[in-house]
Amino acid sequence: MHWRPLCLLVLGLFPSFAQTTSPHEQFDEELVVKSFQDGRVASTFTFKTLLTDASPRDPRTLALEDDEPQHYTLFPLTLGQLLRQYAITELHLTLNAGKWKYDSWGYPEAAGVGTGAELYAWLADGAPSSIDERWQGLRNALAGLFCASLGSLDEQRTTSPHLSFPPEGLLPDWDGLQHEIRHASHASEHVCTENLTPFLKLLPCKSLSGLASLLNPHRMFDADWHGIGLHVLWRPEGVEVRLNFQMVSDPLRPSGKKQDWSFRSLYDRSVDRACPVAKTSRTIVTLPDAVYSITPEPSAIESGKALYDLKNKSPNESFDMKLEWGSDFVYPQASLTSPLVPFTVQRKLHGPTQDRGQLALVLKNHEPHAIRVSYLETMPWLLQFYLHTIRIEVDGTRRDDLISNISYVLPVPHSRPATFHCILTLPGHSTVTYTIDVTKAFLMYTEHPPDAQRGWDLPPAVFVLLASSSEEGYTRSMGGVQEGSRVYTPSLLVDLATPDFSMPYNVIIFTCSVVAFIFGSIFNLLTRKFVVVRLDG
Amino acid sequence: MDRLRRIIRPGGDANLVRIRRRKAVVSAISQRIKLIRLLLPVLGCIWLLALPSPRLGRNIYIDENALQPGNVNTYWSWGDVHNSDRYLEDLERLRDSNATNEQRAQYLSTEFRKIGMFSSTQNYHFTGTSQDINGTNTYAVLSSPRAPGVEAIIISASWVSRINDGNGTLNLRGVATVLGLANFLKQYSLWAKDLIFVINDGYLDGMQAWLSAYHGSVQSNLEVERLEISSGVVWTALNIDYPGHSFSHLGVFYEGLNGRLPNQDLMNSFHVICSRMGIPVVLYDHLDPRTYPDRRNELDWLPEWMPSALRDDSEVRAYAYNARNIRRHLAHQASGRGSGVHGLFHQFRIDAFTVFALPATGPHGFHALGRVVESTLRTANNLLERLHASFFFYIMTAPNRFLKIGNFLPSAILISVGLMFGGLKGWVDSGWILEHPDSTVKSESDAPKWTRRSRPVIRTLCIMTATHLLGVAMYLLMSSRWYTESSIGLPFVLAIVSVFAFGVSAIRSKGNREGEAPLSSVLKALNQCFASTIISATTVLNFSLAVALAVSLDLPLSISAASNSLSLRALKFSPYLLLSLGWTLALERLSWNWEFLGVWLFPFLCIVYFPLVLQAGIVCLL
């Protein structure tokens, strides 16, 4: 029982310490909990560190000796070093597992929900090393930092889709230096505890106190959907680092009767101590429409949302909250007819053969009026498009006029992916089918991965809802949808022609025999001398 | 030592010796060609008959280590059995109230949604020459947590059971099992692959429509609704057929369309799981008479008059049991239709088989079936990659024994090689003629002399091409609506074929030149060579069909020969006509399979088999 006075001492010291030694740094944390119509509960943890009055490094100074000291208290040092070394203006990294169901969950709090790893960064040119070299350094450094296979986001996966991934913050003006984007995604990357530990290390309070103490890997990685995100961007106030963790858990999974949840049931933890260095520490719970009871009493209720401030929590008691419904849960019968998003997308790869196929999209516009969406495919060269076979149909009639602004960067086999971007117009209350024929690549045998052969994961396509051209000033209020929100389709799995590597000896014996047979016959024919032989002689 | 070396390698020119040796071998073969020609098919037939022997083949084993069958605890409990019973009550009520397809599908879809799954229905409409088929499928997708949903497993049940080949018995308990499983499997977060539950209307037609829509390859005579919910690449599928009240054994049906087979590892895993749980497994619905001595008369096909010493011999009984299984396999595979709903999956590279709950008064029910299916799904869930390891060529002789490809393939190949030897001999014979020297003129040598003569190859090939074109025409005719509706279809075809055959023979009698080989011998030679090639190529595509072809073609093609009198020729021709068109008795079924399922046996019979036999018939007429 000696630790308690010590702890109190530290707790007492911390606020003053934080305020005195880091006047340029500010740390805020927030947890948003929301129940969906299918009974699942989404928790979004956001940890924001702001380095005020700082700005990204000018890439031209990379040629000079870096003598600027990097003293941070709250801002993660490892990340700061990395950003300085490669002069990164803006950086977004997400590692997700699962499939985000826009139909029943609506848009996520943090937009990057593509399956697997996705990394994109905005960098300016002008450094002694090229953008691509710095991009390579960045992803290798991040791979080390996050224990993820980001090193595999190489030039075979790197594209520059600047239209679908505009900078979230501002790009500094360095005498007109051009900024460029580098984007790569790897759908088969899994996220697990080895990625969460380095994530927690970037937080000032680690997982010892504050909201981050709820991040219990046993529960996080059992959730239906979970993902971590790292976002670095520049605003006039300074450089902002935003770390977030999103998860969608299913309180109905064990019992199947009631959708009640509490911190204990969702995370198997409660908040014992507030993070002393956090300026704000809030929990926001979206309240349901039905009869419910919420404990403890929220500090404020604003437009259907209960707010809790953990900074006001008494230091002795742990904070746990509970939301209970008055009645048993019943699954909505018409889950598909009342979607939360203006349009839904289904993407499939058809064709059972190993050399050809067809990529098919089915887009459904739930709005009464036409909407425009931008459609981006960053396709590895494993799948190659035949653009002349694009076919767009609305309810069975061909409507090729619905596609516009096509831009296409050809893939280069064995080195570069294709980037296909276009704008699709979806007529009101309609189902648009889009098909394009594809050919599947034939790999060199060294390009086959050495592990189990389940096929190749193709990255998700990205859709962005654009401002409607027909109706000026149209904004959507439902579900907090903003124009410009990205929608990720699920990833795809493609089967390429693969030798049965599990039988290497048979394969070797067969091929060697064939080669030997052909060589032997031809060699024999070329070198043989034909003469008449008298048998009786 | 030296002597030994001299025998192996006699002195003199090495090339000379080699050529001499080769000549000796060739002449040894060609002198005994008739014997070899006779021996090869006999050997092949003996091999075929030896296939059921318990001494051939080996016990099954698990090749893919990742499967780990039966290594998990199962949680399917009596509460889940109760759920399935409740679903069954609802389904029986629907059956008794003569609910329409749509009402049924609506009920199923609602139940799936109550569980919390995405579910939808799909209407389909097949247009056929003789009949149209409508129906409504229901399906639901359980998205696996944490996984991107790019891989999937299908659990299906058809509304109509496979009993009597989908002829009316309803598979209510199978459907109830699927619903109960959906309710149960959702409670676990361990699924790495999406689970798709499909309840297809009808027997084969519904699943064909659903699978075509899922894979985006819809045939021209099918109108099908687009699937509202999709999932990833399907690797494995399990079809549940439980028509009775209870069951005693679980039967495995595995033959697919056009002779495709699923990866054997899947069925082996199922066998291992069942034996760990103490549930007996059989092949098809064949109970082993050795385990049921009191039901021997009903189960055993060995005739009563056999000496009891032989009839009760354990090896003979094992042979009889295996033979029954192999015969069933050959029938299912050769027909190309497969042995159930699972067969439709194989065309999309999905390994699938049917679990058939053998109707009996007991002792097993939902509880046993649920546990077995749960464990099998867990096994399929373990897979990191598609099942491969070339475990696709096999014949199951018993639930736990199988024949490897090396054990059965040579039987058909031997017969086809025999046919090829016959053809090659005919080819040589038609090109050479043995001339006996004129005895009146004394020449230097009295030995008979081989002289060459030309072969009418072009004309022969023309006749062969014409027969195949006739086959194409016949295929078009038989798949037309007129043929199925008119009563004179078959006589019309017979007349056309006869006119064609006699027409060919009339033409040839004009065109035969002096000093040329007779057309009939060249035609016979090429016919045999072609048939042999077809049989050999078919062995790896559809072994059973190759066996059927080998057995039915070998003798007729070998004994066809021309004769002098016209009546004798016509008499000889008629059995060939019968043989070539005998299959039209089953035309309705064959063309149904082709139209709705894409089983290529019907066009194959028209375009390949019928012309081959007709060519042999024409040989008799020439």
Side-chain angles (χ1 to χ4, degrees):
Chain A
M1 279 308 181
H2 291 293
W3 59 271
R4 183 164 287 218
L6 185 71
C7 176
L8 287 172
L9 184 71
V10 172
L11 275 175
L13 278 176
F14 249 88
S16 61
F17 169 76
Q19 273 150 27
T20 49
T21 58
S22 58
H24 303 301
E25 292 169 64
Q26 180 185 324
F27 177 69
D28 301 285
E29 54 179 21
E30 187 183 78
L31 165 63
V32 179
V33 189
K34 189 177 170 188
S35 291
F36 293 135
Q37 57 178 8
D38 62 356
R40 290 183 173 82
V41 177
S43 325
T44 311
F45 295 83
T46 311
F47 307 97
K48 209 184 279 179
T49 312
L50 185 68
L51 195 61
T52 43
D53 303 330
S55 59
R57 186 176 187 182
D58 186 339
R60 284 169 300 186
T61 62
L62 282 174
L64 312 169
E65 191 75 20
D66 186 16
D67 54 356
E68 195 178 315
Q70 295 188 53
H71 293 305
Y72 307 122
T73 334
L74 304 177
F75 195 87
L77 174 66
T78 43
L79 193 63
Q81 285 172 332
L82 197 149
L83 295 171
R84 279 199 70 75
Q85 175 157 9
Y86 302 109
I88 309 295
T89 307
E90 187 170 324
L91 164 72
H92 299 270
L93 167 70
T94 50
L95 288 167
N96 301 322
K99 176 165 74 173
W100 187 273
K101 294 175 195 153
Y102 290 92
D103 303 6
S104 42
W105 301 346
Y107 284 103
E109 291 284 326
V113 291
T115 302
E118 184 185 48
L119 172 66
Y120 71 95
W122 281 89
L123 311 85
D125 209 351
S129 50
S130 72
I131 285 187
D132 286 313
E133 281 165 354
R134 281 153 59 208
W135 164 248
Q136 184 186 7
L138 171 72
R139 53 179 204 248
N140 287 337
L142 283 173
L145 190 59
F146 278 97
C147 297
S149 328
L150 300 176
S152 60
L153 300 175
D154 53 4
E155 53 283 349
Q156 293 207 26
R157 297 179 180 274
T158 302
T159 54
S160 307
H162 55 96
L163 290 172
S164 298
F165 296 92
E168 195 184 325
L170 295 174
L171 300 178
D173 183 17
W174 287 312
D175 311 329
L177 274 186
Q178 275 296 317
H179 271 85
E180 283 188 36
I181 185 179
R182 290 291 179 272
H183 172 275
S185 59
H186 190 205
S188 50
E189 177 68 21
H190 288 281
V191 51
C192 202
T193 39
E194 76 267 25
N195 312 116
L196 184 68
T197 311
F199 175 87
L200 291 172
K201 279 190 179 166
L202 299 178
L203 299 175
C205 297
K206 315 289 187 253
S207 63
L208 298 171
S209 62
L211 289 174
S213 62
L214 295 175
L215 292 173
N216 172 7
H218 289 281
R219 287 308 177 90
M220 301 290 130
F221 298 114
D222 188 41
D224 278 16
W225 190 95
H226 52 82
I228 63 180
L230 161 69
H231 307 275
V232 181
L233 48 106
W234 181 65
R235 295 187 200 282
E237 306 93 274
V239 173
E240 178 186 308
V241 171
R242 199 173 70 236
L243 289 151
N244 56 23
F245 193 104
Q246 280 190 97
M247 64 183 271
V248 178
S249 26
D250 189 358
L252 292 155
R253 199 194 283 149
S255 71
K257 287 275 181 282
K258 296 205 56 170
Q259 60 178 132
D260 304 346
W261 58 262
S262 63
F263 278 3
R264 274 274 157 217
S265 73
L266 289 182
Y267 319 115
D268 198 23
R269 291 216 180 135
S270 54
V271 185
D272 293 334
R273 281 173 290 163
C275 177
V277 292
K279 183 156 174 279
T280 59
S281 181
R282 297 197 303 168
T283 301
I284 301 170
V285 180
T286 308
L287 297 171
D289 296 332
V291 180
Y292 67 93
S293 77
I294 188 164
T295 48
E297 197 58 32
S299 39
I301 293 187
E302 281 172 21
S303 60
K305 286 182 176 145
L307 301 176
Y308 293 90
D309 193 349
L310 265 66
K311 298 299 278 185
N312 301 336
K313 179 179 91 68
S314 70
N316 295 330
E317 65 184 43
S318 64
F319 177 77
D320 185 5
M321 59 159 303
K322 201 174 207 172
L323 186 63
E324 285 176 317
W325 270 256
S327 54
D328 279 2
F329 179 73
V330 179
Y331 281 102
Q333 273 296 300
S335 54
L336 288 171
T337 52
S338 59
L340 301 167
V341 283
F343 69 100
T344 45
V345 190
Q346 207 185 81
R347 187 172 75 142
K348 282 218 70 169
L349 188 63
H350 287 145
T353 63
Q354 292 180 330
D355 60 336
R356 298 218 157 206
Q358 190 182 54
L359 188 71
L361 290 174
V362 179
L363 299 115
K364 223 176 207 177
N365 181 6
H366 305 295
E367 297 291 309
H369 49 77
I371 58 173
R372 296 194 317 142
V373 291
S374 102
Y375 164 44
L376 171 74
E377 270 310 339
T378 52
M379 190 55 79
W381 62 272
L382 303 172
L383 220 61
Q384 287 154 26
F385 298 137
Y386 289 114
L387 287 198
H388 69 280
T389 59
I390 292 181
R391 198 180 162 88
I392 297 178
E393 286 182 4
V394 180
D395 306 324
T397 52
R398 193 159 177 179
R399 286 286 301 277
D400 283 345
D401 56 306
L402 296 180
I403 188 168
S404 59
N405 299 44
I406 298 176
S407 76
Y408 182 53
V409 180
L410 278 166
V412 177
H414 311 285
S415 70
R416 190 178 76 188
T419 315
F420 176 81
H421 185 267
C422 67
I423 291 175
L424 295 171
T425 311
L426 313 178
H429 281 313
S430 65
T431 305
V432 178
T433 57
Y434 163 103
T435 55
I436 183 168
D437 288 357
V438 294
T439 174
K440 300 177 185 174
F442 190 79
L443 296 188
M444 297 194 276
Y445 80 97
T446 48
E447 286 170 324
H448 289 277
D451 46 356
Q453 181 47 50
R454 62 189 275 275
W456 275 262
D457 283 286
L458 302 178
V462 178
F463 287 83
V464 180
L465 180 64
L466 302 176
S468 176
S469 57
S470 53
E471 287 180 42
E472 286 296 320
Y474 154 70
T475 46
R476 199 178 157 74
S477 56
M478 198 164 123
V481 177
Q482 299 293 312
E483 274 150 17
S485 296
R486 290 194 298 276
V487 171
Y488 290 83
T489 64
S491 56
L492 293 173
L493 193 68
V494 61
D495 272 323
L496 303 181
T498 311
D500 194 343
F501 285 114
S502 67
M503 311 179 72
Y505 293 106
N506 286 6
V507 173
I508 292 166
I509 288 166
F510 269 124
T511 43
C512 289
S513 310
V514 168
V515 169
F517 177 73
I518 292 169
F519 172 78
S521 318
I522 291 174
F523 184 77
N524 196 353
L525 282 174
L526 288 176
T527 57
R528 172 176 280 186
K529 193 166 126 200
F530 291 92
V531 290
V532 178
V533 179
R534 196 163 286 281
L535 279 177
D536 308 330
Chain B
M1 200 65 191
D2 269 358
R3 193 183 295 167
L4 197 71
R5 188 174 297 149
R6 221 171 293 137
I7 294 169
I8 297 170
R9 196 171 286 170
D13 191 347
N15 288 318
L16 211 62
V17 172
R18 206 183 62 223
I19 292 170
R20 229 177 245 141
R21 195 189 301 139
R22 194 188 296 164
K23 260 194 112 171
V25 169
V26 170
S27 75
I29 291 179
S30 41
Q31 273 168 13
R32 296 177 184 84
I33 187 78
K34 277 190 177 157
L35 181 71
I36 294 173
R37 171 75 188 88
L38 199 69
L39 215 60
L40 281 172
V42 170
L43 213 62
C45 289
I46 292 174
W47 195 312
L48 268 180
L49 291 175
L51 287 184
S53 160
R55 286 159 194 258
L56 265 182
R58 57 170 297 175
N59 283 340
I60 57 164
Y61 59 97
I62 304 289
D63 192 84
E64 171 65 71
N65 292 322
L67 282 169
Q68 297 290 309
N71 282 356
V72 291
N73 291 324
T74 51
Y75 299 102
W76 175 266
S77 65
W78 289 105
D80 302 300
V81 174
H82 176 67
N83 281 339
S84 302
D85 279 328
R86 278 203 352 255
Y87 287 126
L88 179 66
E89 283 165 23
D90 289 348
L91 291 169
E92 279 171 345
R93 211 168 301 133
L94 279 172
R95 177 198 60 192
D96 296 338
S97 63
N98 282 327
T100 61
N101 299 359
E102 281 83 16
Q103 282 168 335
R104 258 167 17 210
Q106 212 51 53
Y107 162 77
L108 293 167
S109 184
T110 312
E111 289 305 315
F112 277 123
R113 284 197 187 142
K114 276 186 196 160
I115 300 168
M117 284 185 199
F118 282 132
S119 172
S120 184
T121 59
Q122 178 208 30
N123 293 316
Y124 62 90
H125 175 82
F126 278 102
T127 321
T129 45
S130 53
Q131 66 180 124
D132 287 9
I133 302 177
N134 290 310
T136 313
N137 296 322
T138 316
Y139 61 101
V141 177
L142 169 60
S143 302
S144 53
R146 304 187 300 262
V150 292
E151 299 142 27
I153 302 173
I154 291 182
I155 303 130
S156 70
S158 54
W159 183 253
V160 180
S161 164
R162 69 163 313 287
I163 283 187
N164 297 330
D165 210 9
N167 225 348
T169 312
L170 296 186
N171 179 23
L172 293 184
R173 278 185 170 73
V175 176
T177 310
V178 170
L179 281 167
L181 278 167
N183 202 346
F184 164 74
L185 298 174
K186 194 189 164 280
Q187 299 167 24
Y188 298 95
S189 66
L190 44 82
W191 300 113
K193 296 163 177 56
D194 281 5
L195 298 177
I196 308 178
F197 301 90
V198 185
I199 293 176
N200 64 287
D201 209 347
Y203 176 48
L204 293 171
D205 45 304
M207 187 51 88
Q208 174 75 359
W210 190 87
L211 279 172
S212 316
Y214 190 88
H215 292 94
S217 55
V218 179
Q219 60 211 64
S220 57
N221 62 341
L222 168 65
E223 281 170 44
V224 67
E225 256 184 307
R226 199 180 54 77
L227 297 181
E228 271 185 62
I229 311 159
S230 79
S231 182
V233 181
V234 183
W235 283 0
T236 38
L238 204 59
N239 183 53
I240 298 170
D241 202 332
Y242 182 6
H245 175 266
S246 308
F247 64 91
S248 56
H249 293 72
L250 288 176
V252 173
F253 286 82
Y254 60 99
E255 291 86 359
L257 290 195
N258 294 325
R260 286 195 188 89
L261 299 178
N263 196 297
Q264 205 198 335
D265 261 338
L266 196 64
M267 285 156 3
N268 294 353
S269 311
F270 179 75
H271 188 268
V272 168
I273 288 164
C274 286
S275 46
R276 292 228 175 129
M277 294 190 174
I279 296 155
V281 182
V282 291
L283 277 181
Y284 312 109
D285 42 11
H286 293 171
L287 294 181
D288 191 342
R290 283 169 294 178
T291 47
Y292 293 92
D294 48 325
R295 291 169 65 187
R296 184 163 181 189
N297 292 336
E298 162 201 352
L299 297 174
D300 213 346
W301 59 270
L302 291 174
E304 296 271 358
W305 47 261
M306 264 177 92
S308 67
L310 203 59
R311 196 167 173 248
D312 294 338
D313 183 67
S314 68
E315 202 163 329
V316 171
R317 299 197 67 185
Y319 181 92
Y321 177 64
N322 293 352
R324 191 163 168 234
N325 289 331
I326 293 180
R327 203 190 63 83
R328 184 83 177 264
H329 169 79
L330 292 180
H332 279 310
Q333 203 185 17
S335 77
R337 182 181 157 95
S339 53
V341 177
H342 61 274
L344 305 168
F345 289 92
H346 302 163
Q347 55 189 324
F348 300 105
R349 283 187 73 204
I350 303 170
D351 294 307
F353 67 98
T354 292
V355 178
F356 179 70
L358 216 62
T361 45
H364 300 297
F366 282 135
H367 189 245
L369 186 62
R371 278 165 64 217
V372 166
V373 173
E374 181 195 354
S375 193
T376 311
L377 290 174
R378 291 285 298 273
T379 291
N381 189 48
N382 282 341
L383 273 182
L384 294 173
E385 50 189 327
R386 268 177 197 282
L387 285 169
H388 50 94
S390 308
F391 231 22
F392 293 96
F393 300 98
Y394 56 88
I395 295 178
M396 303 295 289
T397 53
N400 61 343
R401 282 187 79 78
F402 74 104
L403 294 172
K404 290 187 292 183
I405 183 166
N407 285 347
F408 62 80
L409 201 69
S411 54
I413 293 285
L414 281 175
I415 300 178
S416 104
V417 168
L419 207 54
M420 178 62 89
F421 271 44
L424 290 176
K425 181 178 180 297
W427 173 255
V428 172
D429 286 351
S430 64
W432 294 88
I433 192 156
L434 194 59
E435 277 187 357
H436 293 281
D438 206 339
S439 55
T440 52
V441 182
K442 278 274 175 202
S443 64
E444 281 179 12
S445 75
D446 284 347
K449 228 170 89 184
W450 285 102
T451 46
R452 297 255 3 207
R453 60 177 177 180
S454 68
R455 307 181 183 98
V457 177
I458 300 291
R459 269 185 293 152
T460 316
L461 288 182
C462 282
I463 293 177
M464 287 173 77
T465 316
T467 53
H468 287 281
L469 288 178
L470 182 70
V472 174
M474 206 175 75
Y475 159 69
L476 293 175
L477 177 73
M478 286 185 174
S479 48
S480 73
R481 200 173 272 272
W482 173 83
Y483 186 86
T484 48
E485 280 168 3
S486 85
S487 53
I488 57 154
L490 189 58
F492 181 72
V493 166
L494 283 174
I496 286 192
V497 172
S498 310
V499 166
F500 173 85
F502 283 98
V504 167
S505 70
I507 290 170
R508 74 90 222 180
S509 51
K510 285 179 193 163
N512 215 3
R513 267 173 272 153
E514 197 60 32
E516 200 178 45
L519 194 56
S520 62
S521 66
V522 180
L523 180 59
K524 182 177 172 180
L526 290 185
N527 177 19
Q528 282 182 327
C529 289
F530 189 44
S532 159
T533 316
I534 297 270
I535 293 169
S536 305
T538 320
T539 44
V540 279
L541 291 176
N542 188 341
F543 175 74
S544 307
L545 183 62
V547 167
L549 283 179
V551 170
S552 62
L553 287 182
D554 186 57
L555 198 63
L557 262 57
S558 315
I559 57 166
S560 62
S563 52
N564 292 324
S565 92
L566 183 69
S567 54
L568 191 61
R569 278 189 277 171
L571 196 67
K572 271 186 170 177
F573 175 69
S574 48
Y576 284 96
L577 191 62
L578 273 180
L579 184 65
S580 68
L581 287 171
W583 53 269
T584 46
L585 294 175
L587 180 67
E588 196 182 338
R589 188 183 164 83
L590 284 167
S591 72
W592 192 95
N593 287 349
W594 166 241
E595 247 178 3
F596 293 102
L597 308 177
V599 174
W600 46 254
L601 187 64
F602 170 50
F604 179 83
L605 287 173
C606 283
I607 299 168
V608 180
Y609 169 81
F610 156 75
L612 280 176
V613 183
L614 184 64
Q615 284 158 24
I618 291 173
V619 168
C620 298
L621 281 181
L622 287 174

